[in-house]
């Protein structure tokens, strides 16, 4: 039985905050494309800090230790400190500075040895880390078949190790905050297993990860790309099989009613009953509602939009999708409204409230 405990990116965020508070170095392990560096950058931004991003796999020992030179003033050998490490002037501008040592276990043993003193004593040679610097390292697991070196036990013992796993709910929250294309979010909502399909034993150069789905989102934002070229590019990001599935889903989803018409009460009936397209339609409606909320829609108008959202789901979707839609709107998109001012809420709560409550308990 494996003794490795895995956590979601949301749980890892909490771990990082606690370790930062205690100035304990953290090592984030995880497969490629899961979003380790994005997580560290996001936490740093939330803390209004600054991040030094060092790719140790591309560095030499002197990049950390510095290089020796003859000091003519003292007549002895001295050390020129490395320019890439945090300096006092920069650190004084921020409440916290994160030294991110990415690809650490991809670094040659000599580089890891140079980093050891920095991690152990917060200094290397004459260089000292400023007091407000915290350290995070990251790397892929040996089982991921990347270029890795076994980390020396004394070095490994200096870190608090956290291994990440892919989790749809954590990714969805991140995707909404980072405006990932609604077609991507809608598709993944209906096919959660396709968020990540990396097989270290496989020969494919393209595979689905949170990172590669971000590439897909960026391609979809360019509306000038023809369908054939778009399919080629998406296949190059997530693999041909998934690209074909995703493009087929997108074609059907494009034939669904306009979310704006639904929220305005102009569209009441759903004729296309494709499950994945239904998921995508729910996400599209949530996107539209979130945009209206952020733009400061009048309360009365917004409540009508929310009413039409619930009414449409109850009239056209199976229970699973209705419950998913409500949770997505309330939790992921954080839509603000007063239930007592909705005509549909009592009926919705009587019919689906127990499922919402059950799902909330399961997620705790």
């Amino acid at each position: 039985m494996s003794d490795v405990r895995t956590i979601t990116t949301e749980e890892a965020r909490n771990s990082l905050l606690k370790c930062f508070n205690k100035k304990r170095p953290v090592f984030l392990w995880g497969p490629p494309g899961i979003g380790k560096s994005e997580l560290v950058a996001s936490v740093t931004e939330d803390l209004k800090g600054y991040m030094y991003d060092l790719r140790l796999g591309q560095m030499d020992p002197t990049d950390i230790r510095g290089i020796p030179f003859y000091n003519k003033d003292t007549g002895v050998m001295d050390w020129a400190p490395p320019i890439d490490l945090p300096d006092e002037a920069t650190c004084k501008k921020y409440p916290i500075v994160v030294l991110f040592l990415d690809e650490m276990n991809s670094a040659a043993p000599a580089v890891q040895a140079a980093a050891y003193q920095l991690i152990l004593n917060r200094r290397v040679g004459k260089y000292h880390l400023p007091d407000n610097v915290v350290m995070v390292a990251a790397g892929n697991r040996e089982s991921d078949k990347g270029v890795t070196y076994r980390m020396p036990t004394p070095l490994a013992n200096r870190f608090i190790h956290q291994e990440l796993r892919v989790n749809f709910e954590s990714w969805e929250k991140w995707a909404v905050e980072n405006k990932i294309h609604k077609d991507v979010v809608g598709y993944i909502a209906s096919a959660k297993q396709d968020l990540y399909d990396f097989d270290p034993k496989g020969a494919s150069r393209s595979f689905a990860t949170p990172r590669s789905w971000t590439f897909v989102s960026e391609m979809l934002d360019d509306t000038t790309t023809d369908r054939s070229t778009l399919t080629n590019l998406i296949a190059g990001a997530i693999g041909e099989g998934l690209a074909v599935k995703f493009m087929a889903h997108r074609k059907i989803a494009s034939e669904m009613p306009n979310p704006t018409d639904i929220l305005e009460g102009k569209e009441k009936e759903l004729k296309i009953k494709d499950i994945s397209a239904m998921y995508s339609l729910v996400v599209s409606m949530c996107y539209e509602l979130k945009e209206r909320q952020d733009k400061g829609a009048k309360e009365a108008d917004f409540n009508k939009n929310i009413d039409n959202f619930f009414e449409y789901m109850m009239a056209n979707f199976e229970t699973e999708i209705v419950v998913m839609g409500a949770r997505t709107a309330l939790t992921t998109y954080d839509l603000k409204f007063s239930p007592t001012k909705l005509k549909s809420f009592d009926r919705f709560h009587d019919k689906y409230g127990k499922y919402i409550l059950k799902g909330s308990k399961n997620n705790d």
Side-chain angles (χ1 to χ4, degrees):
M1 181 177 178
S2 172
D3 63 351
V4 177
R5 180 185 181 91
T6 61
I7 61 176
T8 68
T9 52
E10 276 299 297
E11 292 169 331
R13 178 181 292 271
N14 294 331
S15 295
L16 285 174
L17 292 173
K18 291 293 183 182
C19 290
F20 286 178
N21 187 48
K22 298 295 183 180
K23 289 189 178 178
R24 291 293 180 190
V26 185
F27 199 114
L28 298 178
W29 297 89
I34 197 174
K36 298 183 288 293
S37 57
E38 290 85 353
L39 170 63
V40 178
S42 175
V43 172
T44 303
E45 183 178 355
D46 289 346
L47 295 174
K48 302 186 185 308
Y50 183 83
M51 186 174 83
Y52 283 83
D53 187 351
L54 302 186
R55 307 283 166 151
L56 293 193
Q58 304 170 23
M59 299 179 75
D60 293 321
T62 53
D63 293 327
I64 297 175
R65 180 71 172 86
I67 59 173
F69 71 97
Y70 174 69
N71 189 326
K72 63 180 181 180
D73 295 328
T74 61
V76 297
M77 188 68 71
D78 207 340
W79 284 87
I83 195 172
D84 291 327
L85 293 178
D87 62 272
E88 288 284 357
T90 300
C91 292
K92 286 180 180 179
K93 300 177 183 178
Y94 301 92
I96 188 171
V97 172
V98 177
L99 177 57
F100 182 42
L101 306 173
D102 202 3
E103 303 173 356
M104 184 160 190
N105 60 330
S106 297
V111 178
Q112 291 191 32
Y116 178 77
Q117 186 184 5
L118 184 66
I119 296 162
L120 177 66
N121 298 321
R122 294 179 61 85
R123 59 172 291 176
V124 58
K126 291 185 176 181
Y127 171 81
H128 292 258
L129 280 175
D131 290 339
N132 64 332
V133 175
V134 296
M135 286 180 280
V136 184
N140 295 330
R141 306 161 302 181
E142 292 181 19
S143 59
D144 295 322
K145 303 300 182 184
V147 177
T148 60
Y149 295 91
R150 189 171 184 82
M151 186 181 298
T153 302
L155 178 58
N157 195 234
R158 301 306 303 177
F159 289 100
I160 291 179
H161 297 268
Q162 302 281 271
E163 182 165 327
L164 304 183
R165 69 173 184 271
V166 176
N167 173 264
F168 170 74
E169 285 74 21
S170 294
W171 174 82
E172 183 186 32
K173 182 177 180 181
W174 175 89
V176 170
E177 292 172 350
N178 288 273
K179 301 188 183 302
I180 297 300
H181 198 283
K182 59 184 177 59
D183 287 355
V184 171
V185 180
Y187 174 76
I188 298 299
S190 67
K192 297 179 178 63
Q193 73 280 0
D194 289 343
L195 175 58
Y196 190 84
D197 75 344
F198 172 63
D199 179 5
K201 297 179 181 178
S204 176
R205 293 185 294 270
S206 304
F207 46 88
T209 67
R211 178 194 295 153
S212 57
W213 279 113
T214 300
F215 298 161
V216 173
S217 175
E218 292 169 353
M219 295 169 199
L220 296 178
D221 287 335
D222 183 356
T223 57
T224 64
T225 308
D226 64 86
R227 181 180 174 84
S228 177
T229 300
L230 184 61
T231 303
N232 293 339
L233 292 170
I234 292 175
I238 60 175
E240 183 178 8
L242 275 185
V244 171
K245 284 176 60 179
F246 174 72
M247 293 301 286
H249 155 84
R250 194 162 184 253
K251 183 177 186 301
I252 296 174
S254 68
E255 299 170 357
M256 300 292 273
N258 188 316
T260 299
D261 291 340
I262 296 173
L263 299 180
E264 295 295 337
K266 300 175 183 177
E267 191 73 51
K268 304 286 187 181
E269 184 181 356
L270 179 64
K271 297 179 181 179
I272 300 174
K273 298 298 183 179
D274 181 86
I275 296 297
S276 69
M278 291 180 187
Y279 274 97
S280 191
L281 181 58
V282 169
V283 170
S284 296
M285 287 191 287
C286 288
Y287 259 68
E288 178 68 21
L289 286 168
K290 176 69 172 174
E291 188 171 313
R292 293 183 183 205
Q293 176 176 274
D294 292 345
K295 289 181 177 180
K298 293 181 180 179
E299 183 182 13
D301 293 337
F302 191 65
N303 284 337
K304 287 181 181 179
N305 297 154
I306 294 286
D307 250 329
N308 290 330
F309 172 67
F310 282 121
E311 290 282 5
Y312 190 85
M313 288 199 300
M314 288 189 288
N316 295 287
F317 297 153
E318 297 294 330
T319 298
E320 179 184 355
I321 300 180
V322 176
V323 173
M324 184 279 291
R327 286 193 196 131
T328 300
L330 296 171
T331 305
T332 307
Y333 290 79
D334 195 26
L335 298 179
K336 309 292 187 185
F337 60 89
S338 175
T340 58
K341 296 182 179 180
L342 300 183
K343 298 178 182 178
S344 60
F345 194 80
D346 286 343
R347 188 157 52 87
F348 173 83
H349 185 268
D350 289 343
K351 190 172 182 180
Y352 301 102
K354 59 183 178 181
Y355 300 109
I356 302 290
L357 182 61
K358 181 179 178 181
S360 299
K361 290 180 177 178
N362 290 339
N363 290 331
D364 289 342

